[in-house]
Amino acid sequence: MGGVNLVAGFRPELWREVAPEDTVAEVEGFNEDLIGVDGFVMPATQHDAVLWLSGSAYDVVFEVARNAIAELRELASVVEETSSWPYRHDRDLTGFIDGTENPTLIDAPELALIPEGRPGAGGTILLLQKWAHDAPAWESLPDAEQERVIGRTKPDSVELEDRPADSHVASTDQDRFGKIFRRNMPYGTVTDHGTMFVGFSSEQRPLSTMLESMAGLAGGDRDALTRYTRPLTGAYYFVASAESLLAVGAS
């Protein structure tokens, strides 16, 4: 109750240099901007490492984060920091329920973790993006129009039978692109806020093809939600298993 969860991710190319036997050969960083239709751009802002700390109280997260930065001071410097928080129990800042298609915590390891017997076993591939919301434009839409943009009903997250082809649900259809484990974490202030998207998968392709679809590169229109929220960052990280991290640290 008084501790934190800590996820440490590394630029895939960097982890490959450090632990060549414990990495997925085809995984790459977010090294180039993803250019979509209508001039839409998902920027590449790849860094060498990321620490994600989550806890029940901000003061505990704050202290652990400061201690982590102090321990790494001789090796790395902080280039960006974002603080997130839960919103209305299970909703994101659009007002819709988040993670409706997520696997259960029991099933998630089979989809998110690299299976035993493969390089990088026990690890996962992380997609991290920061999205800024145009709250006035979004909130000016009636609920019925918001539902068509998302592709689900707002109160109970039921998928629309006549969802538009450019709806967010259609653009990120996991039955089409592959299952992932994901979260939308709100960040920011009352006047300047958005979402940190966190997606985990045992393979990079489901993540990258979803982004291509959202950008309109899968043969259709770009995701309607991208007209109300704008990506500010984009990075892929390899999250190694705890055993792998200990082995590298001891070598």
Side-chain angles (χ1 to χ4, degrees):
M1 293 295 292
V4 301
N5 292 320
L6 170 61
V7 175
F10 303 90
R11 178 168 54 87
E13 294 87 348
L14 177 62
W15 181 256
R16 190 172 296 123
E17 292 180 14
V18 174
E21 302 300 321
D22 188 56
T23 189
V24 183
E26 62 271 19
V27 178
E28 298 179 350
F30 205 131
N31 300 320
E32 296 182 359
D33 292 350
L34 179 61
I35 310 299
V37 301
D38 304 328
F40 179 70
V41 178
M42 290 186 180
T45 58
Q46 184 71 52
H47 296 301
D48 284 336
V50 63
L51 295 179
W52 179 21
L53 295 93
S54 175
S56 59
Y58 183 71
D59 60 337
V60 178
V61 174
F62 179 85
E63 286 300 318
V64 174
R66 292 189 68 221
N67 291 337
I69 291 171
E71 290 288 342
L72 296 171
R73 187 168 290 127
E74 300 300 320
L75 299 173
S77 59
V78 177
V79 292
E80 184 175 353
E81 175 189 351
T82 302
S83 295
S84 297
W85 29 268
Y87 180 68
R88 295 175 58 188
H89 180 59
D90 59 358
R91 295 181 184 266
D92 62 32
L93 291 182
T94 65
F96 284 74
I97 295 174
D98 179 48
T100 302
E101 292 294 323
N102 256 352
T104 67
L105 292 179
I106 294 176
D107 295 332
E110 294 185 11
L111 301 172
L113 299 183
I114 298 170
E116 293 297 325
R118 287 174 48 187
T124 186
I125 298 156
L126 164 64
L127 168 62
L128 185 66
Q129 287 184 301
K130 188 175 187 177
W131 293 74
H133 288 199
D134 185 347
W138 176 253
E139 292 167 358
S140 69
L141 298 177
D143 282 358
E145 186 59 30
Q146 288 184 0
E147 290 178 341
R148 288 184 61 78
V149 171
I150 297 296
R152 291 183 178 277
T153 58
K154 195 170 186 177
D156 48 11
S157 200
V158 176
E159 191 169 317
L160 301 180
E161 292 184 4
D162 59 343
R163 70 184 189 192
D166 66 347
S167 68
H168 184 59
V169 169
S171 298
T172 60
D173 187 352
Q174 293 192 36
D175 290 332
R176 178 182 175 191
F177 299 113
K179 297 290 186 179
I180 65 172
F181 188 76
R182 51 174 292 284
R183 291 184 71 183
N184 283 322
M185 296 297 298
Y187 77 87
T189 65
V190 172
T191 57
D192 181 16
H193 51 258
T195 291
M196 293 296 297
F197 174 81
V198 183
F200 295 97
S201 178
S202 61
E203 298 180 348
Q204 189 172 28
R205 192 58 184 161
L207 299 167
S208 61
T209 53
M210 284 185 191
L211 295 189
E212 291 167 1
S213 174
M214 291 180 67
L217 300 177
D221 296 328
R222 82 180 216 227
D223 190 332
L225 186 58
T226 63
R227 306 190 186 282
Y228 304 95
T229 182
R230 177 171 55 91
L232 303 178
T233 69
Y236 288 108
Y237 296 99
F238 179 70
V239 179
S241 67
E243 292 79 7
S244 294
L245 287 174
L246 290 171
V248 169
S251 62

